[in-house]
Amino acid sequence: MADSAAIGIFDSGIGGLSVARAVRELLPDEQLIYVADSGHAPYGEKTDEYIYQRMQAITQHLVACGVKAIVVACNTATTAAIKELRAQYSLPIIGVEPGVKPAVLGSKTGVVGVLATPRTLLTPAFAHLAERYAGQAKIILQPCPHLVPMIERLELDCAALRKRVTGYIQPLLAQGADTLVLGCTHYNFIADVIADVAGPAVSIVRTETAVAKQLQQRLAQAQLLNSGAKIGADRFYTSGDAGLFNQQLLRLWPAVATALPL
Ligand code: DGL
């Protein structure tokens, strides 16, 4: 595998663009190929079997594009089936899980809220993660089913969004939570709204920078960091509406980008 090959990154939609942005900043010489599986979103309401099928289809596409590593930029997909995906493919596959550990370690009140999709919070992989830290803090799970569709529609700061966010986090704050984990990559795009509604005493835990660093480490270990100049332009595929994806890219991606059909 040539170190000049691209890195594949995918999500059910635009949430993973927040991870791709962190990768773009940390590894400016790498070419990225992003897949937004918007035609099959939200994953948060699908079964693990369905999500795994989509992960396989997207991985096959990325492998056919010649990528050297894959980032599953979705907590729901990672907790649903990253183990199975890793068992099937030999290239490095990096996932993203809710940042329960840093939240528990940083909490002063010992009460932590985890915001995520309903599916993520129901998976055995997440239960296992939460169990590991349950002795050190009270971990309150808050499924947020309405947020992903709003974020996909680019409703990133409106009264309706603030109302939803308030409804989800008020009960956590009332129980003493001083730390909120953003356990869905989509929520990174509304982190400011969540922080604003929660108030200055509450810390927000995000994971995209840690994921980018982990990717950098894995590539370095495998001697796959691009040693030359960046060769190809980044590419952005969608299984959904290309017109909408172009609007989303215009708003959320820091460079000119055009949607390609998956
Ligand atoms: N962005 C995905 C995550 O991190 C979830 C979005 C969805 O429900 O499709 O969990």
Side-chain angles (χ1 to χ4, degrees):
M1 175 64 69
D3 66 16
S4 57
I7 296 164
I9 304 181
F10 75 86
D11 179 34
S12 63
I14 57 173
L17 283 174
S18 61
V19 179
R21 268 183 4 184
V23 173
R24 169 58 44 257
E25 262 173 46
L26 188 69
L27 303 172
D29 294 333
E30 301 291 342
Q31 182 193 2
L32 309 184
I33 299 181
Y34 187 87
V35 176
D37 199 17
S38 307
H40 302 268
Y43 284 178
E45 287 160 25
K46 306 290 193 302
T47 62
D48 286 356
E49 291 68 32
Y50 184 90
I51 297 168
Y52 183 39
Q53 274 175 24
R54 293 308 306 155
M55 292 168 79
Q56 287 174 299
I58 295 165
T59 300
Q60 270 158 28
H61 170 76
L62 289 170
V63 167
C65 290
V67 301
K68 61 185 174 187
I70 290 180
V71 180
V72 181
C74 174
N75 295 260
T76 310
T78 299
T79 52
I82 199 166
K83 252 194 184 162
E84 289 78 356
L85 199 70
R86 283 183 178 138
Q88 217 183 328
Y89 294 90
S90 58
L91 77 176
I93 300 179
I94 287 90
V96 42
E97 274 184 349
V100 175
K101 180 180 176 182
V104 167
L105 295 179
S107 171
K108 294 192 178 64
T109 59
V111 185
V112 162
V114 181
L115 311 176
T117 67
R119 191 70 232 147
T120 294
L121 299 177
L122 287 173
T123 58
F126 178 78
H128 189 64
L129 174 69
E131 263 164 35
R132 251 190 281 159
Y133 299 98
Q136 297 171 56
K138 179 175 172 186
I139 301 170
I140 312 171
L141 312 185
Q142 179 60 63
C144 306
H146 293 96
L147 297 184
V148 168
M150 295 178 97
I151 296 163
E152 284 285 321
R153 293 195 299 267
L154 292 174
E155 293 169 14
L156 303 179
D157 189 0
C158 58
L161 179 79
R162 281 179 178 264
K163 198 171 160 201
R164 284 288 182 202
V165 168
T166 306
Y168 289 137
I169 70 174
Q170 270 313 329
L172 310 182
L173 304 181
Q175 291 175 75
D178 67 347
T179 308
L180 297 177
V181 176
L182 304 194
C184 167
T185 51
H186 279 75
Y187 306 165
N188 292 325
F189 290 122
I190 59 162
D192 288 351
V193 172
I194 295 173
D196 195 33
V197 172
V202 175
S203 304
I204 307 293
V205 174
R206 305 167 60 159
T207 52
E208 69 269 40
T209 306
V211 172
K213 284 185 185 154
Q214 205 191 332
L215 169 68
Q216 183 184 39
Q217 247 176 31
R218 289 290 303 279
L219 291 176
Q221 275 164 7
Q223 300 193 319
L224 282 174
L225 279 171
N226 188 14
S227 50
K230 182 176 162 182
I231 295 171
D234 295 335
R235 300 212 298 265
F236 297 85
Y237 291 92
T238 181
S239 59
D241 178 343
L244 174 62
F245 194 36
N246 275 326
Q247 280 174 39
Q248 293 164 330
L249 286 167
L250 200 61
R251 181 94 178 259
L252 303 175
W253 191 250
V256 177
T258 309
L260 300 164
L262 182 64

